[in-house]
Amino acid sequence: MARLNKGVGFASVCLGFTLLASPLADAEDAGEKWIAVSNTAMSITGDIELSPTAITMSTGSVLPLEAVKGDVPNLYRFTHANDLKLLRDNTFCLPHTEVGYVVLNYRGKEELEIDVFDGDEAPHSADELESQPGFCASYFYQKP
């Protein structure tokens, strides 16, 4: 019986570390609020709410997200970007971008950079994201 308890304890610790490793694990169902701080974010998305399955823009438009496993941490695939209603009639990426990828770069607990990629090809590494194929935008946010 003692072995079972140790196994359960170990499994609980492993689950806890897995949840801690995922930045979106802390996000509430309604979303984690972030304030736009870069010119790009302030003029296109405004403040956002980020959840494990979506980014909700200040206009109320929702960009669906799906986690992608691989070599790039915090990589998500998005769909329906053409359906977004953004500030000043801007687009999230390039005109006519329907699908693509975002990389969520957490800079500590208080800052977030979202790098956006157009198309079906995901970024191949976490290094030098801005120079990889399909890169189209970066948005910067802070915790309220």
Side-chain angles (χ1 to χ4, degrees):
M1 190 71 158
R3 284 186 138 186
L4 178 62
N5 289 337
K6 283 184 183 178
V8 170
F10 180 73
S12 296
V13 168
C14 287
L15 176 61
F17 282 127
T18 300
L19 291 176
L20 286 175
S22 172
L24 287 182
D26 292 335
E28 300 172 9
D29 289 337
E32 191 174 41
K33 295 185 187 303
W34 291 91
I35 304 226
V37 294
S38 66
N39 287 336
T40 308
M42 287 187 285
S43 58
I44 296 176
T45 66
D47 299 344
I48 61 169
E49 286 189 22
L50 182 61
S51 78
T53 59
I55 300 172
T56 303
M57 312 300 169
S58 65
T59 59
S61 282
V62 177
L63 182 70
L65 298 177
E66 181 182 333
V68 176
K69 293 183 181 184
D71 294 336
V72 178
N74 304 314
L75 177 64
Y76 295 82
R77 185 173 189 276
F78 66 81
T79 57
H80 303 291
N82 277 342
D83 297 338
L84 293 174
K85 303 295 183 224
L86 299 172
L87 299 174
R88 298 169 188 83
D89 292 323
N90 280 306
T91 59
F92 186 63
C93 189
L94 301 172
H96 311 294
T97 295
E98 180 65 19
V99 299
Y101 294 88
V102 295
V103 178
L104 307 178
N105 290 310
Y106 291 88
R107 302 173 182 267
K109 293 182 179 183
E110 303 294 318
E111 295 180 11
L112 169 67
E113 175 183 354
I114 299 178
D115 292 312
V116 184
F117 297 82
D118 175 50
D120 292 324
E121 183 179 342
H124 51 81
S125 98
D127 297 327
E128 299 180 15
L129 289 169
E130 295 86 7
S131 64
Q132 293 186 40
F135 175 81
C136 59
S138 285
Y139 299 96
F140 294 87
Y141 305 89
Q142 287 183 339
K143 281 288 207 167

